[in-house]
Amino acid sequence: MEAFERNIRKVEPYVPGEQPRQRVVKLNTNENPYPPAPGVERALKELDTADFRLYPDPACSVLVDAIADFYKVGRDQVFVGVGSDDVLSLCFLTFFNSDKPILFPDITYSFYKVWAQLYRIPYECKRVDEQFRIVREDYYGENGGVIFPNPNAPTALYEDLELVEDILRHNRDVIVIVDEAYIDYAGPSAVELVDRYDNLIVTQTFSKSRSMAGMRIGYAIANPKLIRYLNDVKYSFNSYTLNRASLVCGAEAVKDRAYFEETVEKIKATRERAMERLGSLGFSCTRSSANFLFATHPDCDARELFEALKREGIYVRWWDSERIRQYMRITVGTDEEMEKLFAFLEQYLSKGE
Amino acid sequence: MEAFERNIRKVEPYVPGEQPRQRVVKLNTNENPYPPAPGVERALKELDTADFRLYPDPACSVLVDAIADFYKVGRDQVFVGVGSDDVLSLCFLTFFNSDKPILFPDITYSFYKVWAQLYRIPYECKRVDEQFRIVREDYYGENGGVIFPNPNAPTALYEDLELVEDILRHNRDVIVIVDEAYIDYAGPSAVELVDRYDNLIVTQTFSKSRSMAGMRIGYAIANPKLIRYLNDVKYSFNSYTLNRASLVCGAEAVKDRAYFEETVEKIKATRERAMERLGSLGFSCTRSSANFLFATHPDCDARELFEALKREGIYVRWWDSERIRQYMRITVGTDEEMEKLFAFLEQYLSKGE
């Protein structure tokens, strides 16, 4: 090792889900199977590329305004970033500066641990119960902050706002982040609690229900004071984050409520049919409130099945992690894509493997 | 202050140059007065927005390949990010983890200090000399890393590669970052040194000479080992950064060498004429090697002139900072824009103010 390498920050790199280039059945990164709202195409084509020479609006007003209108919150209650990963990582940097550990579930989005390590934030993982449910009492003790996804990933389980509010009530002295990447496929959002709990931050993304993973847009909704702290750090960091294309395409995507609701309903309907079908094939799934299924089969090894699916060009997600090693995460695609999956599973299971 | 605010990271927010919405003469944020290469328009219009539902390529291959081809370096020697601010801030996080202070000039890009504070990196500013020149001996002592822009901003001064190499030779045990945001308006780039100095990182941007400030693209060129460290941190942070529009537009912009050279030459020619004209109006400018001028006038207070220009709809940049309080930074615009500036200055000066 060279001398100059001594002070380099070494991290265990996160391995993102594969992005295969050839045409495959891609059910591995929870993307939306439907295109974004039609207005996005129009907005993109109307962009004047001559304006690309100019910096984008650092306040991201056109997008912030559209999100504020959609959720009926103030413009000063919305923060936007380059995907919810950018927003969440900035939240870690801004809000988690205590000597006490932050708390999050042991089975959850794998980036939480990575950001904590990256920023040297102490953390403690709280074990979800045998049904993968968050145990509220685990979050009652002293801590440096709380974060959990709702619905949780990869378990797909949604917790009622009653539980979210209970955790908030027990944590009035720290920041509580509810990561709602999949909320549109579930129940009520904690956004309705931000005016009552000034220590609550709700994050969401355009990558799932808004069908814009390729444009990198995420946001946080909270009280104006917390949004101001986030903006202060953002402006000290990289003032111009969202580019001109993301700003106008994002605004168009969020304005089209009818299209949004229609595609969300289509995915939920496919999800329900898929859960039933997987059940009839002998799989157990958690009660999914997301755009993916978390499934295990008593007679097949999940890793072997994952590999067999991949050889067939059907990509799902599998983790070599304690407690969930026998589960696969399957994104809800179109009905046609799901049929391809089921056809293969039927054949695979009939071989008695 | 509420209890939960105790552990919030508080920063002095950087105030970006104003982005006025109305039509003004905008010479305040060093943007390119010319549109990006014609291929950018075509690439944008050919984008299939249906693909926006899918995550972008996390490796950013199409853009990395185009940059590698342009600079004749390996693909494993290029890292791209959301503007050079993103790249530089990630470099600070990755490479500056020593207990010893990092070094940079006292008059320089104001973000260096902000990132150091944000990441709690000790730092020391080294005074540039009375002509605003970097004093090489100041960088000979023990330190935790070195960063300086070349050309420096806002002084516009370019240092020969001989000085860059001398500083590199005296700092073989730490990382040295040369921030070349404005290099295309100056002399040879330190990119030619990366194969000889494995502790050197050169950063550049699409926001100036490539006319793409609105699309947020920056990059670093270094040896493959350092690029790997950067990618490890990036993947642990936010795997998908550049969106689909930035990737294809960026690749097109960098492929068009002829257009790039033509617009760079136009700006350099305008710069030379502008320096002469300012001189004839009694201003002193540093010898600019960038797309902006750093100018002072013996008979006018810079702040008053800055305010007067702003009232006239002519935006330049001024800082209330020690040593440079009597200077303005003026972006080189089109000849027409510069004429508007000169017309106002003539009138202003003739009033004897």
Side-chain angles (χ1 to χ4, degrees):
Chain A
M1 186 162 90
E2 312 255 8
F4 64 75
E5 288 183 78
R6 271 197 314 269
N7 292 306
I8 293 179
R9 196 171 292 244
K10 314 222 175 37
V11 295
E12 185 109 25
Y14 170 83
V15 182
E18 288 166 272
Q19 297 294 353
R21 287 175 187 227
Q22 64 286 46
R23 284 286 150 205
V24 296
V25 180
K26 192 168 176 310
L27 306 175
N28 67 337
T29 54
N30 297 345
E31 289 148 330
N32 196 314
Y34 303 107
V40 170
E41 165 92 16
R42 203 167 48 241
L44 188 86
K45 300 293 141 100
E46 279 171 7
L47 265 177
D48 183 354
T49 49
D51 289 339
F52 284 6
R53 71 181 188 83
L54 299 168
Y55 282 99
D57 170 20
C60 303
S61 306
V62 60
L63 181 57
V64 164
D65 290 358
I67 294 169
D69 285 351
F70 189 92
Y71 291 101
K72 301 185 175 52
V73 296
R75 291 160 189 208
D76 55 359
Q77 292 186 275
V78 178
F79 175 85
V80 297
V82 182
S84 67
D85 283 347
D86 180 43
V87 175
L88 285 166
S89 126
L90 211 63
C91 283
F92 271 58
L93 186 64
T94 307
F95 299 116
F96 292 160
N97 293 290
S98 167
D99 294 332
K100 293 174 200 137
I102 60 164
L103 309 180
F104 49 82
D106 65 336
I107 298 176
T108 197
Y109 187 39
S110 54
F111 261 25
Y112 299 163
K113 200 178 280 188
V114 185
W115 291 321
Q117 287 163 352
L118 187 68
Y119 296 131
R120 294 164 186 159
I121 301 165
Y123 66 92
E124 223 178 279
C125 296
K126 295 296 184 182
R127 197 175 160 88
V128 294
D129 72 14
E130 292 314 303
Q131 282 71 50
F132 299 138
R133 288 275 164 199
I134 287 174
V135 181
R136 61 177 76 194
E137 292 81 7
D138 286 346
Y139 300 86
Y140 287 179
E142 251 200 327
N143 62 65
V146 173
I147 179 165
F148 58 92
N150 197 30
N152 197 1
T155 64
L157 294 170
Y158 171 74
E159 304 292 348
D160 286 337
L161 281 193
E162 187 272 315
L163 176 139
V164 175
E165 196 166 356
D166 184 60
I167 290 178
L168 275 163
R169 257 195 312 265
H170 283 87
N171 286 282
R172 297 297 282 135
D173 290 349
V174 295
I175 299 294
V176 176
I177 303 175
V178 184
D179 172 359
E180 293 192 336
Y182 301 102
I183 194 69
D184 297 318
Y185 305 108
S189 159
V191 166
E192 63 179 72
L193 301 176
V194 295
D195 287 334
R196 272 186 290 142
Y197 294 90
D198 55 5
N199 58 325
L200 167 63
I201 298 172
V202 180
T203 61
Q204 298 192 4
T205 176
F206 277 53
S207 299
K208 314 298 173 188
S209 53
R210 307 276 175 196
S211 209
M212 298 267 280
M215 292 305 273
R216 318 306 307 122
I217 308 171
Y219 54 102
I221 296 178
N223 78 80
K225 199 188 246 183
L226 296 189
I227 296 299
R228 213 153 45 230
Y229 281 122
L230 269 179
N231 270 317
D232 285 352
V233 173
K234 170 207 155 149
Y235 282 125
S236 76
F237 194 101
N238 187 356
S239 329
Y240 305 102
T241 49
L242 271 74
N243 68 27
R244 288 176 172 267
S246 293
L247 289 175
V248 298
C249 291
E252 284 306 316
V254 84
K255 277 177 192 163
D256 195 339
R257 193 182 285 265
Y259 182 85
F260 164 73
E261 286 172 354
E262 183 197 323
T263 46
V264 164
E265 287 312 314
K266 265 158 77 174
I267 290 162
K268 281 163 78 176
T270 304
R271 173 183 76 197
E272 297 307 308
R273 284 191 291 272
M275 277 184 66
E276 207 169 298
R277 187 74 176 270
L278 285 172
S280 75
L281 290 166
F283 285 89
S284 321
C285 296
T286 56
R287 166 64 259 169
S288 171
S289 294
N291 71 337
F292 57 88
L293 302 166
F294 197 51
T296 185
H297 196 288
D299 308 328
C300 332
D301 180 69
R303 179 187 205 145
E304 281 172 27
L305 177 51
F306 163 76
E307 297 289 353
L309 282 162
K310 196 161 154 183
R311 284 192 296 275
E312 195 68 16
I314 301 173
Y315 282 67
V316 301
R317 201 81 198 269
W318 172 81
W319 288 272
D320 191 8
S321 300
E322 230 194 303
R323 300 189 76 188
I324 59 169
R325 205 167 271 123
Q326 284 307 328
Y327 281 80
M328 296 184 316
R329 191 193 70 184
I330 305 164
T331 304
V332 176
T334 59
D335 287 317
E336 200 189 352
E337 289 173 314
M338 299 316 273
E339 277 310 321
K340 285 186 189 151
L341 170 72
F342 300 138
F344 176 79
L345 290 176
E346 260 169 28
Q347 184 203 327
Y348 183 85
L349 291 163
S350 71
K351 281 190 206 142
E353 279 189 284
Chain B
M1 187 162 89
E2 314 254 8
F4 64 76
E5 289 184 79
R6 270 196 314 269
N7 292 306
I8 294 178
R9 196 172 291 245
K10 312 216 177 43
V11 294
E12 185 110 23
Y14 170 83
V15 182
E18 288 166 273
Q19 297 295 353
R21 288 175 186 227
Q22 62 287 45
R23 283 286 150 204
V24 296
V25 180
K26 192 168 177 310
L27 305 174
N28 67 337
T29 54
N30 296 346
E31 290 147 329
N32 196 314
Y34 304 107
V40 171
E41 165 92 17
R42 203 167 49 240
L44 188 87
K45 299 294 141 97
E46 278 171 8
L47 266 178
D48 184 354
T49 49
D51 289 339
F52 284 6
R53 71 182 188 83
L54 299 168
Y55 281 98
D57 170 20
C60 304
S61 305
V62 60
L63 181 57
V64 163
D65 290 359
I67 295 169
D69 285 351
F70 189 92
Y71 291 100
K72 300 185 176 50
V73 296
R75 290 160 189 207
D76 54 0
Q77 292 187 274
V78 178
F79 175 86
V80 296
V82 182
S84 67
D85 284 345
D86 181 43
V87 174
L88 285 166
S89 128
L90 212 63
C91 284
F92 271 59
L93 186 64
T94 307
F95 299 117
F96 292 161
N97 293 290
S98 167
D99 293 332
K100 292 175 200 136
I102 61 165
L103 309 180
F104 48 83
D106 65 336
I107 299 177
T108 196
Y109 187 39
S110 55
F111 262 25
Y112 299 162
K113 199 178 281 188
V114 185
W115 292 321
Q117 287 164 351
L118 188 68
Y119 296 131
R120 294 166 187 159
I121 301 165
Y123 65 93
E124 224 177 277
C125 296
K126 295 296 183 182
R127 196 175 161 88
V128 294
D129 71 15
E130 293 312 304
Q131 283 70 51
F132 300 138
R133 289 276 164 197
I134 287 174
V135 181
R136 62 177 76 196
E137 292 80 8
D138 287 345
Y139 300 86
Y140 287 179
E142 250 201 327
N143 62 64
V146 172
I147 179 165
F148 59 91
N150 197 29
N152 197 2
T155 63
L157 294 169
Y158 171 73
E159 304 292 348
D160 286 337
L161 281 192
E162 187 271 314
L163 176 140
V164 175
E165 196 166 355
D166 184 60
I167 290 179
L168 276 163
R169 256 196 313 265
H170 283 88
N171 286 282
R172 297 298 283 134
D173 289 350
V174 296
I175 299 294
V176 176
I177 303 174
V178 184
D179 172 0
E180 293 192 337
Y182 301 101
I183 194 68
D184 297 317
Y185 304 108
S189 160
V191 165
E192 63 179 73
L193 302 175
V194 295
D195 287 334
R196 272 187 290 143
Y197 294 90
D198 55 5
N199 59 326
L200 167 64
I201 298 172
V202 180
T203 61
Q204 297 192 3
T205 177
F206 277 54
S207 299
K208 313 298 173 191
S209 53
R210 307 277 175 195
S211 208
M212 299 267 281
M215 292 306 274
R216 317 307 305 121
I217 308 171
Y219 54 102
I221 297 178
N223 78 79
K225 199 188 247 183
L226 297 189
I227 296 299
R228 214 153 45 231
Y229 281 122
L230 269 180
N231 270 316
D232 285 352
V233 172
K234 170 206 155 152
Y235 282 125
S236 76
F237 193 101
N238 187 358
S239 329
Y240 305 101
T241 49
L242 270 75
N243 69 28
R244 287 176 172 267
S246 293
L247 289 175
V248 298
C249 291
E252 283 306 317
V254 84
K255 277 176 192 163
D256 195 339
R257 194 183 284 264
Y259 182 85
F260 164 73
E261 285 171 355
E262 182 197 324
T263 48
V264 164
E265 287 312 315
K266 266 158 77 175
I267 290 163
K268 282 163 78 176
T270 303
R271 173 184 75 196
E272 298 307 307
R273 284 192 290 271
M275 278 184 66
E276 207 168 299
R277 187 74 174 270
L278 286 172
S280 74
L281 290 166
F283 285 88
S284 322
C285 296
T286 57
R287 165 66 258 167
S288 172
S289 295
N291 71 337
F292 57 88
L293 302 166
F294 197 51
T296 185
H297 196 288
D299 308 326
C300 332
D301 179 71
R303 178 186 207 147
E304 281 171 28
L305 177 51
F306 163 76
E307 298 288 353
L309 282 162
K310 195 161 155 184
R311 283 192 297 274
E312 195 68 15
I314 300 172
Y315 282 68
V316 302
R317 201 81 197 272
W318 172 81
W319 288 272
D320 191 8
S321 299
E322 230 193 302
R323 299 189 74 187
I324 60 169
R325 205 168 270 123
Q326 284 307 328
Y327 281 80
M328 296 186 315
R329 191 193 70 185
I330 305 164
T331 304
V332 176
T334 59
D335 286 317
E336 198 189 352
E337 289 173 314
M338 299 315 273
E339 277 310 319
K340 286 187 189 151
L341 169 72
F342 300 139
F344 176 79
L345 290 176
E346 260 169 28
Q347 184 202 328
Y348 182 87
L349 291 163
S350 71
K351 282 192 205 141
E353 279 188 285

